[in-house]
């Protein structure tokens, strides 16, 4: 059976078929859960952000100018929601992830890929939020700078600067670890 | 250097591309929140369709003037009530209040400074002019507030205390450092408020 397009699903929801929104949730959860987890550094906050983003997109669905482009439109809502969740978390425990003290983490044997993964995630969390967001969108989500500008509302030159700084910091922190 | 060709960064990115999943119950949790929410979209659309259907109306100049006075007074009273009773987690911060147009929102800035003589708002939306946007002191809690129309996008700002002390908003995210080596606070105004 042919898959129903995003545009048709959005129109169904707007016509009152709320259940059709579940198909959009199914379709985009796995695609964007990775970004939320990497951005926020833990699954609990990421799931909360993703749920909030879906609820918010449902309530704003009539503002989706191009229903066929629901995915990118939802992504921009999720990016904003991750920023909001990170800010809320900062208020809650007064500790942003970029304040994590590496000294609190014991020395690790980095000979296996599992440990590399841990080191990479730690280095990612040490980036500030703007740089982490830009790095993930560019290199993990494989977006063009034009797409990133649409999703984040930032200029392309700002995004390029953030990606470059993020890459420099990741390289600086990981070059000794990833042989 | 072309970053997309950087093998070191590619190796890092490939680790981070591992998929994440929240399990099959995730969709049910989202739909449960939606269905237990305030109202479904079709109802909203029907009401808004009725409300915003084009109609021909005629008003005398006196009626137009009276409506304008009512709108301004009502807006002022609403802003005052919100300032005295801020949201639970908005003791300090910038909170979008209402959409003026599609691309402009009225943002309420709140700062706690019981001992300050005056507080002003400086940001890229007022050319960092410390005399352009003074905050008003509320009667209690040492709160200072002001509501400002801000255009869509990400804006940097700070508070100026007694005309000389530059303070960041403790409840807002910080920007990257500016050319003076200090960060600013950031407020993001989106077309669709939460």
């Amino acid at each position: 059976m042919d898959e129903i397009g995003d545009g048709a699903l959005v129109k169904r929801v707007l016509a009152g078929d709320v259940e059709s929104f579940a198909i959009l949730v199914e379709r985009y959860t796995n695609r964007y859960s990775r970004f939320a987890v990497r951005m926020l550094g833990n699954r609990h906050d990421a799931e909360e952000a993703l749920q909030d983003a879906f609820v918010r997109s449902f309530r704003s669905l009539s503002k989706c100018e191009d229903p066929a482009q629901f995915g990118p439109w939802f992504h921009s809502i999720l990016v904003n929601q991750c920023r909001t969740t990170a800010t809320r978390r900062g208020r809650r425990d007064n500790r942003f992830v970029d304040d994590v003290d590496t000294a609190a983490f014991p020395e690790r044997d980095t000979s296996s890929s599992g440990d590399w993964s841990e080191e990479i995630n730690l280095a990612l969390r040490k980036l500030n939020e703007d740089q982490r967001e830009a790095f993930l969108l560019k290199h993990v989500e494989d977006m063009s700078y034009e797409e990133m500008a649409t999703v984040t509302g930032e200029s392309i030159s700002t995004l390029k600067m953030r990606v470059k700084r993020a890459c420099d910091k990741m390289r600086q922190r990981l070059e000794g670890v990833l042989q | 250097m072309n970053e997309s060709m950087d093998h070191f960064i590619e190796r890092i990115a490939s680790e981070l591309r591992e998929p994440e999943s929240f399990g099959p119950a995730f969709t049910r949790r989202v739909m449960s929140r939606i269905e237990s929410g305030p109202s479904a979209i079709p109802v909203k659309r029907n009401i808004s369709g009725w409300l915003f259907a084009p109609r021909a109306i005629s008003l005398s100049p006196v009626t137009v003037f009276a409506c304008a006075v009512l709108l301004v007074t009502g807006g002022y009273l609403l802003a005052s009530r919100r300032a005295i009773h801020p949201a639970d987690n908005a003791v300090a911060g910038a909170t979008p209040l209402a959409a003026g147009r599609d691309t402009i929102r009225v943002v309420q800035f709140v700062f706690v400074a019981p001992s300050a003589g005056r507080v002003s708002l400086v940001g890229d939306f007022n050319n960092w002019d410390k005399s352009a946007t003074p905050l008003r002191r509320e009667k209690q809690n040492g709160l200072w507030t002001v509501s400002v129309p801000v255009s869509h996008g990400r804006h940097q700002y700070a508070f100026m205390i007694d005309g000389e002390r530059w303070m960041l908003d403790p409840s807002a995210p910080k920007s990257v450092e500016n050319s003076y080596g200090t960060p600013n606070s950031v407020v993001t105004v989106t077309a669709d408020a939460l």
Side-chain angles (χ1 to χ4, degrees):
Chain A
M1 190 176 67
D2 289 342
E3 189 178 73
I4 305 168
D6 286 0
L9 287 171
V10 168
K11 283 174 187 167
R12 281 189 191 181
V13 177
L14 290 173
D17 178 12
V18 175
E19 280 303 311
S20 286
F21 193 76
I23 302 173
L24 290 168
V25 176
E26 290 275 359
R27 188 170 291 173
Y28 287 104
T29 295
N30 286 345
R31 187 179 301 181
Y32 292 124
S33 54
R34 177 179 65 192
F35 172 79
V37 172
R38 301 287 181 269
M39 190 62 209
L40 293 168
N42 71 78
R43 292 175 54 82
H44 179 268
D45 285 345
E47 176 169 352
E48 181 185 294
L50 198 60
Q51 277 195 34
D52 288 348
F54 275 121
V55 172
R56 190 173 162 187
S57 66
F58 174 82
R59 291 180 184 157
S60 309
L61 203 55
S62 58
K63 296 178 187 169
C64 180
E65 290 177 358
D66 184 357
Q69 293 296 312
F70 174 83
W73 178 73
F74 172 74
H75 197 181
S76 66
I77 291 175
L78 178 63
V79 166
N80 275 321
Q81 190 58 51
C82 285
R83 292 172 180 172
T84 304
T85 302
T87 304
R88 202 179 290 155
R89 178 174 60 191
R91 286 178 185 165
R92 186 181 67 211
D93 58 17
N94 200 26
R95 182 175 67 85
F96 280 96
V97 285
D98 45 308
D99 292 334
V100 173
D101 181 3
T102 44
F105 293 85
E107 289 293 321
R108 285 177 291 273
D109 173 11
T110 55
S111 56
S112 70
S113 62
D115 290 319
W116 288 344
S117 176
E118 197 177 335
E119 291 290 341
I120 288 168
N121 277 291
L122 179 60
L124 184 71
R125 291 199 296 273
K126 291 280 288 174
L127 298 177
N128 72 38
E129 285 173 32
D130 290 339
Q131 291 169 1
R132 185 163 59 243
E133 178 184 281
F135 181 87
L136 289 172
L137 293 175
K138 180 65 189 165
H139 289 299
V140 178
E141 303 302 326
D142 283 330
M143 294 172 73
S144 68
Y145 281 110
E146 288 76 14
E147 291 169 329
M148 289 167 65
T150 302
V151 162
T152 62
E154 305 287 356
S155 70
I156 289 176
S157 59
T158 297
L159 291 167
K160 283 183 175 177
M161 182 191 70
R162 288 177 185 172
V163 169
K164 183 183 183 314
R165 288 187 177 169
C167 288
D168 288 347
K169 286 183 181 174
M170 293 292 275
R171 188 176 285 106
Q172 188 182 356
R173 286 173 182 146
L174 292 169
E175 248 170 359
V177 178
L178 308 183
Q179 298 299 325
Chain B
M1 180 175 59
N2 185 349
E3 282 151 1
S4 65
M5 299 300 288
D6 186 325
H7 294 302
F8 187 81
I9 295 299
E10 177 53 35
R11 187 173 167 195
I12 293 169
S14 67
E15 285 284 345
L16 296 170
R17 287 192 197 114
E18 287 295 313
E20 296 283 348
S21 170
F22 294 124
F26 178 83
T27 302
R28 283 203 301 279
R29 289 196 288 273
V30 172
M31 294 309 291
S32 166
R33 282 184 59 184
I34 285 172
E35 284 157 6
S36 63
S39 60
I41 283 175
V43 176
K44 272 185 174 175
R45 275 173 61 84
N46 290 340
I47 290 173
S48 65
W50 175 80
L51 280 175
F52 298 111
R55 293 176 178 82
I57 55 172
S58 58
L59 296 172
S60 70
V62 174
T63 309
V64 170
F65 179 75
C67 288
V69 169
L70 276 173
L71 277 173
V72 170
T73 310
Y76 176 78
L77 288 174
L78 184 64
S80 301
R81 284 191 59 185
R82 288 191 65 108
I84 295 168
H85 304 288
D88 293 345
N89 60 353
V91 173
T95 311
L97 291 182
R101 294 184 313 176
D102 285 348
T103 55
I104 293 183
R105 286 190 174 277
V106 176
V107 178
Q108 184 187 42
F109 293 86
V110 183
F111 193 69
V112 181
S115 59
R118 57 196 163 97
V119 178
S120 61
L121 176 69
V122 289
D124 52 24
F125 40 78
N126 69 0
N127 293 322
W128 303 96
D129 181 351
K130 65 183 180 183
S131 61
T133 316
L135 276 73
R136 191 179 65 249
R137 186 202 287 270
E138 300 299 337
K139 290 177 183 172
Q140 52 191 357
N141 301 331
L143 282 180
W144 295 76
T145 67
V146 68
S147 296
V148 180
V150 180
S151 62
H152 172 267
R154 206 165 201 214
H155 300 278
Q156 298 190 27
Y157 69 98
F159 296 104
M160 186 69 79
I161 313 300
D162 295 328
E164 57 185 19
R165 271 191 300 145
W166 187 277
M167 298 287 289
L168 295 186
D169 187 334
S171 63
K174 294 182 182 63
S175 68
V176 293
E177 291 183 352
N178 59 26
S179 54
Y180 299 101
T182 56
N184 296 310
S185 297
V186 172
V187 59
T188 303
V189 176
T190 57
D192 44 348
L194 187 62

